[in-house]
Amino acid sequence: AQSVTQLGSHVSVSEGALVLLRCNYSSSVPPYLFWYVQYPNQGLQLLLKYTTGATLVKGINGFEAEFKKSETSFHLTKPSAHMSDAAEYFCAVRNTGNQFYFGTGTSLTVIP
Amino acid sequence: DAGVTQSPTHLIKTRGQQVTLRCSPKSGHDTVSWYQQALGQGPQFIFQYYEEEERQRGNFPDRFSGHQFPNYSSELNVNALLLGDSALYLCASSLVAEGYTFGSGTRLTVV
């Protein structure tokens, strides 16, 4: 069975500071992992994904994530936060049938 | 290139009524999945359609049903609405084994 746990439902950072959003997964098969961002009253936009190969994945808007099998983690980072990064972020794992399991989300606030 | 289109964007229904939500997938995509996102929660999988058949289903009652048409568009139907059905309903399309493209959702409010 697949599941995702996002640690911290709310994260606040200062503009220009490091962003770190935590995600741990549980999967009975090699996982396909995703990070999505959701702005108010909008759908989900794909930030990045890990399927196979390089464990450090780069996405849009300067975000990246590292797949660590030994820690069952897929944390999302960005070196320098921008005001426009304020949004809800969801980590997800996909099963072999293309069904996604989402975490409960982390709300990111960027303080000017 | 149009992405995933959902209609309507907002909807208010009375408890006990029935509702139909519609989704047009991204051009070239043949698989449509529906998710329910309650306020403050992550999306929960309802079901997935491929080749006009329901291929997978999440833990939702039979009040939730769907359909996929030959042009790959899809409908989500919910009967006997409950207050707890109030949520953002997201449609996502994909090619098999690729990532999703999400629509902006339909906000359903049951009063």
Side-chain angles (χ1 to χ4, degrees):
Chain A
Q2 285 78 26
S3 67
V4 167
T5 301
Q6 291 184 241
L7 300 176
S9 58
H10 294 87
V11 171
S12 294
V13 300
S14 297
E15 189 175 16
L18 171 71
V19 175
L20 171 61
L21 305 183
R22 300 179 186 274
C23 172
N24 288 89
Y25 69 90
S26 172
S27 177
S28 56
V29 297
Y32 285 12
L33 296 161
F34 300 77
W35 275 99
Y36 283 86
V37 61
Q38 187 177 34
Y39 297 98
N41 300 314
Q42 294 190 25
L44 279 72
Q45 180 183 3
L46 179 67
L47 278 177
L48 48 80
K49 64 181 178 182
Y50 169 79
T51 53
T52 59
T55 57
L56 182 62
V57 180
K58 295 185 183 300
I60 63 172
N61 301 338
F63 284 94
E64 62 182 37
E66 186 171 9
F67 169 61
K68 292 186 176 180
K69 184 178 180 179
S70 61
E71 298 178 7
T72 61
S73 69
F74 191 57
H75 302 330
L76 180 71
T77 60
K78 182 175 180 177
S80 176
H82 191 273
M83 295 299 294
S84 61
D85 294 328
E88 189 84 15
Y89 291 80
F90 292 95
C91 181
V93 61
R94 194 189 82 190
N95 72 2
T96 53
N98 208 28
Q99 175 180 337
F100 280 61
Y101 297 84
F102 287 88
T104 52
T106 297
S107 178
L108 176 65
T109 300
V110 181
I111 304 167
Chain B
D1 178 26
V4 177
T5 304
Q6 292 187 242
S7 63
T9 56
H10 294 83
L11 201 54
I12 299 175
K13 288 288 189 178
T14 302
R15 190 172 48 183
Q17 285 188 315
Q18 179 266 344
V19 68
T20 297
L21 311 181
R22 295 177 175 81
C23 172
S24 293
K26 182 178 179 179
S27 177
H29 284 184
D30 57 7
T31 302
V32 173
S33 302
W34 287 91
Y35 285 79
Q36 180 195 65
Q37 186 179 15
L39 198 62
Q41 299 295 317
Q44 298 292 315
F45 177 74
I46 303 175
F47 42 53
Q48 181 183 93
Y49 278 85
Y50 173 67
E51 292 186 337
E52 302 179 50
E53 291 188 7
E54 183 182 292
R55 298 290 180 168
Q56 293 191 79
R57 189 179 183 91
N59 188 27
F60 279 80
D62 292 344
R63 297 187 297 109
F64 289 78
S65 63
H67 189 77
Q68 185 179 36
F69 299 93
N71 66 353
Y72 307 122
S73 67
S74 177
E75 289 181 349
L76 164 65
N77 300 290
V78 186
N79 294 321
L81 284 167
L82 303 174
L83 296 179
D85 295 331
S86 295
L88 179 68
Y89 288 84
L90 295 166
C91 172
S93 72
S94 63
L95 285 172
V96 174
E98 292 191 4
Y100 284 166
T101 298
F102 280 88
S104 296
T106 294
R107 174 73 63 186
L108 172 65
T109 302
V110 182
V111 297

